[in-house]
Every structure is written in C-alpha cells, then in structure tokens.
C-alpha cells in the first residue's frame, strides 16, 4: 500500500501505516495515498531513471 506524508509529501510503500515519516521525521502525519497518487507512484517505479534522454552539453 502507498502512503504519503502530509508534511513533506514523501511517498512510501509499506504493509502497514507508519507512525513516523522516514524522510522528515514528523509523527502522525502519514495518510493513505489517493488512487491517483498511488497510480502515479507505481508508474514512477517503472521509469528508468538512469537513462539520460537529454543531450550532454559540453562547456
């Protein structure tokens, strides 16, 4: 299940709702992601972040 921190907007996958955000450390600010947020999170997991599509500029 995908969860979101309402303070820093960090998204995470977890089996159960965490009580503390692993990114900012805020307590009790975690909520279940909406359907749209969950779909976007899953789509980003499939992206190849190591493939650079922009040309490298020499300079």
């Amino acid at each position: 299940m995908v969860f979101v921190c309402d303070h820093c907007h960090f998204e995470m996958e977890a089996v159960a709702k965490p009580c503390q955000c692993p990114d900012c450390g805020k307590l009790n600010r975690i909520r279940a992601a909406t359907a749209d947020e969950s779909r976007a999170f899953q789509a980003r997991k499939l992206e190849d972040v190591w493939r650079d599509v922009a040309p490298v500029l020499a300079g």
Side-chain angles (χ1 to χ4, degrees), residues 8-57:
C8 71
H9 307 287
F10 182 75
E11 297 174 328
M12 65 206 90
E13 241 180 344
V15 176
K17 178 180 164 185
C19 63
Q20 184 174 15
C21 177
D23 190 49
C24 71
K26 293 288 184 185
L27 293 171
N28 302 317
R29 299 292 297 267
I30 306 296
R31 63 172 173 79
T34 64
D36 287 340
E37 289 171 329
S38 187
R39 277 192 292 275
F41 179 83
Q42 296 301 334
R44 281 192 303 276
K45 281 178 42 178
L46 300 175
E47 289 180 14
D48 183 3
V49 297
W50 295 105
R51 186 174 48 106
D52 190 7
V53 294
V56 176
L57 301 176

